[in-house]
Amino acid sequence: MKVLASIVLALTAAGPAAACTRDEPACGVPMGDYRVALPDVEGPIPAVIFLHGAGGTGRGTLGMTGTVKAITDRGYAVIAPDGLPWRSDRSGGIWSFRMDVVRETPRDEAAFFDEVVADAAQRHDVDPDNVILAGFSAGAFMVTSLACDAPESFAAYAPVSGGFWRPHPDSCDGPVRLFQTHGWTDGTVPLEGRPLGNGRYLQGDILEGLSLFRDANGCARPDASGKRTTGDFLRRYWTCDDGTALEFALFPGGHGVPAGWADMMLDWFEGLPES
């Protein structure tokens, strides 16, 4: 993580480790709050940061008990940050992935996530070099945006039910290791995208977004290198430049985090070659 060492030193004086669980006060860093669910393993602990959807909270993320348990049972921590307050007429938080859409006063989310990882490393013995950034819906928009702009920030990225907004970026920095998951019948974030705000904003096209990551990963061809299935998931993957990974999993449901996603994603992550 960028500037991680200096952040760790700055946070070392934060006092004794706090539990920061779903039912206890959140852990605070200068730019915001987060909660954590820890596995029963010795550290350093790998982790999945999971970003909630629009109007959600970190506490709500840890209420996704099936997904959280699947991750902690594999020996990973689940770190659940809070987005900043959204609008006066909406509770919960949102992420600053599009300045003209989400907030009048955006937050530097990459810097916030750096603070969260550094604090979790100091308080909870999380391994800062072994963190996956994942998220759902608006959280997935944030994950996709950061994967494009700063792919070196995390070990891998795993957006669920979200991608880019239009206009799509011209290019991504790359290379990246990314596992994208989406529902075939998703009507909130359709595969093709949709207009919002009386046409002022446009969600992007999921497949078009994947083409940006193929370019960043040096893929010679647009067609998948291979296909496989995991239960109901239909998966396509691209084998491109060394150190890169790109996979797309389609499931038959709508807008949600599907059962089986956590184990499938972690199997993918653990099967990647060391970068």
Side-chain angles (χ1 to χ4, degrees):
M1 300 287 293
K2 291 179 180 178
V3 303
L4 188 55
S6 61
I7 295 175
V8 170
L9 290 174
L11 294 170
T12 300
C20 309
T21 61
R22 183 171 191 263
D23 296 320
E24 298 191 21
C27 279
V29 295
M31 298 178 73
D33 294 335
Y34 74 93
R35 298 175 189 271
V36 64
L38 294 171
D40 187 17
V41 298
E42 296 293 326
I45 305 167
V48 176
I49 293 180
F50 196 94
L51 307 182
H52 59 70
T57 63
R59 187 177 189 277
T61 296
L62 295 188
M64 301 164 51
T65 53
T67 298
V68 170
K69 185 176 187 301
I71 295 171
T72 56
D73 282 353
R74 295 281 293 259
Y76 291 73
V78 178
I79 300 173
D82 285 330
L84 287 179
W86 188 4
R87 310 187 308 228
S88 60
D89 61 335
R90 293 289 297 270
S91 61
I94 193 69
W95 308 101
S96 301
F97 57 88
R98 270 286 297 270
M99 303 304 99
D100 59 330
V101 175
V102 296
R103 290 183 53 77
E104 292 181 1
T105 306
R107 174 171 64 186
D108 183 340
E109 303 290 20
F112 171 51
F113 300 148
D114 276 349
E115 289 183 350
V116 168
V117 171
D119 193 72
Q122 190 264 322
R123 292 181 187 270
H124 308 295
D125 205 10
V126 162
D127 180 356
D129 297 319
N130 202 11
V131 179
I132 303 164
L133 184 66
F136 167 66
S137 192
F141 296 142
M142 184 68 246
V143 172
T144 306
S145 176
L146 190 60
C148 183
D149 293 341
E152 75 286 352
S153 296
F154 289 94
Y157 296 84
V160 184
S161 301
F164 290 108
W165 285 59
R166 292 189 184 277
H168 291 141
D170 292 330
S171 63
C172 291
D173 283 354
V176 71
R177 306 201 299 180
L178 183 138
F179 190 102
Q180 182 138 22
T181 306
H182 212 89
W184 175 254
T185 60
D186 193 332
T188 302
V189 184
L191 282 164
E192 305 83 3
R194 67 178 177 125
L196 296 173
N198 294 320
R200 288 182 298 161
Y201 314 119
L202 292 171
Q203 293 172 348
D205 185 296
I206 298 299
L207 298 181
E208 188 174 339
L210 285 168
S211 72
L212 290 168
F213 290 120
R214 286 198 300 270
D215 289 344
N217 283 0
C219 301
R221 297 168 56 115
D223 51 322
S225 305
K227 307 172 186 68
R228 50 194 166 206
T229 61
T230 300
D232 289 336
F233 293 96
L234 302 176
R235 302 169 61 179
R236 307 170 73 86
Y237 62 90
W238 290 263
T239 303
C240 305
D241 286 350
D242 289 346
T244 70
L246 183 62
E247 186 152 343
F248 178 53
L250 193 64
F251 64 95
H255 194 63
V257 180
W261 167 79
D263 278 316
M264 177 180 62
M265 184 273 293
L266 291 176
D267 285 344
W268 166 82
F269 178 67
E270 292 173 359
L272 296 177
E274 292 188 12
S275 58

